[in-house]
């Protein structure tokens, strides 16, 4: 297998943050694209390679430092390696809360409590968990919670996302006032409206 530096540098992005050149490397499988990076599963391993877009490469070092601060808390992946434009963390085998809602998989109150606990533990280490939302929270195949994309955990402003999600969970979801399966178009529309009003 190539080094992580070689793998990260084989991925090119165009100006719209889309992958314009991605050698169909047998070692990588694209698993997601976000606002600042693309994430790949490193095949034949239990590792994920997060490669930041050119305008966000400075975030690689910031996120690596935050993962180091979270080391030992079981709700966050372990950092294995970092480079100038990437980090390597544990690959999470499971479903995001977004996918659970999209596919009609029930989200239990225990999951909500675990996320609360994970946030509390991060705060005890001097962090300010932010950007905790449906696509950053996983329920693993072992039925535990994992939180990824921690790059904004050092921001000074308070982030209302998790508080608002929890409120919606108790007010609507748990009481059965939302459909069991929510189409992606509806979830994305709600997310877009939320971003505009916040």
């Amino acid at each position: 297998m190539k080094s992580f530096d070689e793998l990260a540098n084989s991925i090119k992005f165009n100006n719209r943050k889309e992958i314009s050149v991605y050698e169909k490397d047998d070692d990588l499988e694209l698993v997601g694209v976000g606002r600042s990076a693309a994430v790949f599963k490193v095949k034949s391993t239990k590792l994920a390679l997060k490669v930041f877009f050119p305008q966000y490469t400075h975030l690689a070092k910031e996120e690596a430092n935050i993962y180091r601060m979270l080391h030992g808390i079981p709700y966050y992946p372990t950092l294995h390696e970092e480079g100038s434009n990437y980090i390597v963390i544990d690959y999470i085998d499971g479903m995001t809360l977004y996918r659970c809602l999209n596919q009609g998989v029930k989200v239990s109150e225990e999951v909500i409590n675990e996320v609360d606990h994970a946030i509390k533990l991060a705060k005890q280490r001097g962090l300010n968990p932010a950007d905790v939302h449906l696509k950053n929270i996983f329920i693993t195949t072992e039925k535990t919670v994992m939180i990824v994309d921690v790059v904004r955990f050092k921001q000074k402003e308070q982030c209302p996302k998790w508080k608002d999600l929890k409120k919606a969970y108790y007010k609507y979801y748990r009481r059965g006032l939302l459909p069991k399966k929510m189409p992606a178009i509806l979830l994305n529309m709600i997310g877009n409206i939320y971003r505009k009003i916040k």
Side-chain angles (χ1 to χ4, degrees):
M1 185 177 87
K2 295 177 184 173
S3 72
F4 293 121
D5 274 325
E6 290 172 313
L7 290 172
N9 290 320
S10 73
I11 298 156
K12 307 291 180 215
F13 302 100
N14 66 21
N15 291 338
R16 293 183 307 188
K17 302 180 189 174
E18 295 167 340
I19 300 169
S20 59
V21 176
Y22 162 43
E23 296 173 6
K24 292 298 179 185
D25 197 305
D26 290 337
D27 295 326
L28 295 177
E29 174 189 342
L30 179 66
V31 292
V33 179
R35 287 181 293 185
S36 59
V39 179
F40 300 84
K41 181 180 189 307
V42 182
K43 293 181 183 176
S44 304
T45 74
K46 294 183 177 182
L47 300 174
L49 173 69
K50 182 174 183 178
V51 182
F52 290 84
F53 304 137
Q55 62 272 41
Y56 294 110
T57 55
H58 65 283
L59 295 178
K61 184 175 183 175
E62 288 180 37
E63 189 158 21
N65 287 335
I66 293 167
Y67 275 121
R68 275 193 279 280
M69 291 178 74
L70 293 166
H71 182 73
I73 300 176
Y75 298 107
Y76 301 95
T78 298
L79 175 72
H80 295 277
E81 193 170 318
E82 67 178 289
S84 61
N85 64 336
Y86 71 89
I87 61 171
V88 179
I89 59 174
D90 296 328
Y91 174 76
I92 311 300
D93 195 8
M95 293 177 75
T96 62
L97 293 191
Y98 177 95
R99 211 162 135 223
C100 289
L101 291 176
N102 180 242
Q103 295 186 7
V105 175
K106 187 175 185 225
V107 177
S108 71
E109 188 172 359
E110 184 179 69
V111 167
I112 304 304
N113 292 335
E114 279 193 64
V115 174
D116 272 341
H117 188 59
I119 289 170
K120 179 182 174 185
L121 293 174
K123 285 180 177 180
Q124 288 173 356
R125 299 216 176 160
L127 295 167
N128 179 24
D131 206 30
V132 178
H133 58 75
L134 296 176
K135 291 183 178 178
N136 291 347
I137 303 166
F138 282 81
I139 301 174
T140 71
T141 51
E142 291 84 26
K143 305 298 182 208
T144 58
V145 166
M146 292 292 277
I147 300 174
V148 298
D149 197 9
V150 298
V151 74
R152 291 174 182 83
F153 274 35
K154 281 190 175 179
Q155 74 178 30
K156 302 232 185 305
E157 308 85 35
Q158 294 302 310
C159 177
K161 288 182 182 176
W162 174 245
K163 184 178 168 188
D164 291 346
L165 274 173
K166 202 164 79 164
K167 185 176 178 183
Y169 176 87
Y170 286 109
K171 191 171 183 179
Y172 303 109
Y173 183 85
R174 197 173 71 157
R175 294 169 62 198
L177 300 175
L178 291 173
K180 288 186 180 190
K181 267 177 105 169
M182 297 179 74
I185 193 164
L186 177 60
L187 286 168
N188 293 336
M189 188 173 68
I190 292 168
N192 289 335
I193 291 168
Y194 179 84
R195 275 192 290 277
K196 285 178 184 171
I197 63 172
K198 292 290 176 180

